[in-house]
Amino acid sequence: MDAAYDYYHLFPSPTDTDVDSSFTSSSTSARTSLARSSLTLSFNESRPSTAHPSRPHRNSHPNWSAINAATTLSSDGRLHLSHLKLLRHLGTGNLGRVFLCRLRHYDYATFALKVVDRDALSPKKLSQVQMEADILSALDHPFLPTLYAHLNVSHYSCFLIDYCPGGDLHSLLRRQPSHRLPLESVRFFAAEILVALEYLHALGVVYRDLKPENVLLREDGHVMLSDFDLCFKSDVTPRLLRRSKPARKIHRYSRCFGSGSPRQVLVTEFVAEPTTAHSKSCVGTHEYLAPELVSGAGHGSGVDWWAFGVFIYELLYGTTPFKGVSKEATLRNIVGNGPVKFPDDVVCEEAKDLMSRLLVRSPERRLGAAKGAVEIKRHPFFEGIKWPLIRNYRPPSEVRGMMTTNKKKVGMMSPRRRWGWWKGLLSYLMKSKGSRRNYSNSNYHSLSRQ
């Protein structure tokens, strides 16, 4: 009965969509009518396969220890759906359903399981699923999800990834006065998203779907960027560049031996921006689309830096800079010639300058166009941030107070007596035993914890 219960909730009826949220968020309000859905007008990129490298930044996580123990005890050394205990349905996204689950006999190992019915998707959406699988399998970063296992059962693809109990940033904004965050909180979130985008660009991945709805909050209050189905990949050539900059401190005896002018130091910077990336697809969320993306003339990685400017603007002001009375009006404002308008509220000049330089309509003149995140990190808005230590920064108070509340929400869902459907599915799986659609696991974790 227990196994059947899990199978029913793993593969529910397509018409049973009582919760409308997405990916790994625990908040059911994140994908309501207040949120903005992503659009796809065309999609023509190829889908190269991606290797599954080791993950040194995550291999000490307790979830890996639990998976190692479970697979060691497994008869074939692999992880199966029978190892997972479903707790509740988290939401329904563009490509599939997401469930909160735990590894059986390891109560501390909590995950989100994204289930995609391949038979229900068009070829275009299947290519998006493959793109997301390729990217997830390559990620190893504190602000990006970890793919613990990729399971294929019949015509279902299941992705076992991190669960974020804090919901998403869009929901957090909706709970704030005037839907806006204090300046220091904006700096915290913007800095972490900047580092995540820098990492993606270093892999040759152009994200194209940045918005608060896709920024999830981990248990510790730090961010996790989600949803990679609208990405495209390009070649990237990493470079080491040297530049001089004034030393932070002048030695107290320097004036005794020279003119006293500021001492220059030579610094080496790692730059890996996919400057040759090019696509003509129009995808994303309309309020966050860059002008070159709306025009359809082709775009590259600069669309992420435009969206980053819109993202900071929304966190500071509670709305996006080009929002009109309709989607069409918003798109006209984006491609128009008028400057970015800022509310009369007093916000630091450094923040306004950063947004103005990111929201430049010409992608060649946009901040980040040449050297990516390296240029943006130098901006005075981020002055004082110690980038190598950012993952150890203390989250804002708005997030810390929310973490304790959300821990109480992790519980099991009530069984629903709809046995006819799962019986039909189990019967189908048994009949298809030995066929190409029988159980077959692609276990990413086997190469990820060495």
Side-chain angles (χ1 to χ4, degrees), residues 38 42-43 45 47 197 206-210 229-232 279-285 289 293 299-300 303-304 307:
S38 302
S42 63
F43 204 98
E45 281 77 25
R47 294 288 180 248
L197 290 175
V206 181
Y207 182 51
R208 297 199 294 190
D209 204 16
L210 179 61
D229 52 299
L230 298 187
C231 298
F232 78 96
S279 172
K280 289 189 176 181
S281 302
C282 186
V283 299
T285 302
L289 297 179
L293 204 154
H299 61 272
V303 298
D304 284 345

Side-chain angles (χ1 to χ4, degrees), residues 185-234:
S185 298
V186 174
R187 269 173 36 100
F188 173 87
F189 289 123
E192 295 198 337
I193 292 301
L194 177 59
V195 172
L197 290 175
E198 179 181 37
Y199 178 86
L200 289 175
H201 284 199
L203 296 180
V205 175
V206 181
Y207 182 51
R208 297 199 294 190
D209 204 16
L210 179 61
K211 56 184 176 181
E213 291 91 329
N214 286 344
V215 178
L216 307 184
L217 301 175
R218 295 184 183 271
E219 186 175 21
D220 59 5
H222 292 273
V223 306
M224 188 184 86
L225 200 59
S226 70
D227 286 356
F228 302 93
D229 52 299
L230 298 187
C231 298
F232 78 96
K233 300 180 72 175
S234 173

Side-chain angles (χ1 to χ4, degrees), residues 129-441:
V129 173
Q130 184 60 51
M131 171 58 75
E132 184 160 40
D134 290 345
I135 292 174
L136 285 173
S137 67
L139 299 181
D140 175 33
H141 194 274
F143 305 143
L144 294 168
T146 296
L147 181 62
Y148 295 95
H150 179 189
L151 310 173
N152 288 314
V153 181
S154 181
H155 52 96
Y156 294 95
S157 289
C158 306
F159 302 94
L160 193 66
I161 50 182
D162 295 297
Y163 168 62
C164 293
D168 62 57
L169 197 51
H170 181 265
S171 299
L172 178 64
L173 276 176
R174 292 291 150 187
R175 291 194 290 269
Q176 307 306 310
S178 301
H179 302 159
R180 48 200 295 185
L181 291 171
L183 181 63
E184 284 307 308
S185 298
V186 174
R187 269 173 36 100
F188 173 87
F189 289 123
E192 295 198 337
I193 292 301
L194 177 59
V195 172
L197 290 175
E198 179 181 37
Y199 178 86
L200 289 175
H201 284 199
L203 296 180
V205 175
V206 181
Y207 182 51
R208 297 199 294 190
D209 204 16
L210 179 61
K211 56 184 176 181
E213 291 91 329
N214 286 344
V215 178
L216 307 184
L217 301 175
R218 295 184 183 271
E219 186 175 21
D220 59 5
H222 292 273
V223 306
M224 188 184 86
L225 200 59
S226 70
D227 286 356
F228 302 93
D229 52 299
L230 298 187
C231 298
F232 78 96
K233 300 180 72 175
S234 173
D235 293 331
V236 61
T237 303
R239 296 175 292 161
L240 287 177
L241 303 180
R242 289 190 171 187
R243 69 178 181 93
S244 60
K245 70 173 186 177
R248 289 188 175 182
K249 294 182 180 180
I250 301 177
H251 197 277
R252 59 178 177 171
Y253 297 119
S254 61
R255 294 185 181 273
C256 299
F257 302 99
S259 62
S261 58
R263 185 168 59 90
Q264 297 289 312
V265 296
L266 198 63
V267 295
T268 302
E269 295 175 327
F270 175 77
V271 178
E273 181 70 6
T275 54
T276 61
H278 185 79
S279 172
K280 289 189 176 181
S281 302
C282 186
V283 299
T285 302
H286 66 284
E287 292 178 37
Y288 276 76
L289 297 179
E292 64 270 24
L293 204 154
V294 176
S295 68
H299 61 272
S301 60
V303 298
D304 284 345
W305 302 131
W306 171 279
F308 186 58
V310 178
F311 176 78
I312 295 175
Y313 191 105
E314 181 168 12
L315 297 191
L316 283 171
Y317 295 112
T319 186
T320 51
F322 304 102
K323 186 175 182 179
V325 295
S326 64
K327 288 186 178 182
E328 292 74 16
T330 298
L331 297 179
R332 286 196 297 269
N333 292 339
I334 290 173
V335 298
N337 296 320
V340 182
K341 297 180 180 180
F342 296 100
D344 295 332
D345 303 44
V346 178
V347 174
C348 74
E349 292 302 319
E350 290 81 2
K352 289 184 178 180
D353 181 73
L354 174 61
M355 290 182 283
S356 297
R357 297 179 64 184
L358 289 169
L359 298 175
V360 173
R361 288 183 170 86
S362 172
E364 294 80 13
R365 295 174 44 240
R366 192 174 300 150
L367 185 64
K371 299 180 182 178
V374 170
E375 298 179 45
I376 302 173
K377 285 179 176 179
R378 296 179 198 159
H379 193 276
F381 179 72
F382 294 112
E383 179 68 29
I385 291 182
K386 296 179 175 59
W387 297 101
L389 303 177
I390 191 171
R391 65 186 296 182
N392 297 318
Y393 277 26
R394 191 181 186 189
S397 58
E398 293 83 5
V399 179
R400 294 197 305 271
M402 187 175 59
M403 292 297 103
T404 303
T405 303
N406 280 317
K407 284 183 180 180
K408 301 177 182 178
K409 297 182 180 180
V410 180
M412 294 186 62
M413 52 180 156
S414 300
R416 289 178 286 180
R417 305 275 180 178
R418 300 175 186 172
W419 305 115
W421 193 92
W422 66 257
K423 282 184 179 179
L425 175 64
L426 286 178
S427 175
Y428 167 78
L429 292 176
M430 293 300 293
K431 289 179 181 179
S432 62
K433 186 175 182 181
S435 68
R436 284 169 28 178
R437 284 190 171 180
N438 197 25
Y439 294 76
S440 61
N441 291 356

Side-chain angles (χ1 to χ4, degrees), residues 24-43:
T24 56
S25 171
S26 66
S27 171
T28 58
S29 64
R31 301 287 183 176
T32 63
S33 58
L34 294 176
R36 297 147 300 196
S37 60
S38 302
L39 58 92
T40 304
L41 300 185
S42 63
F43 204 98

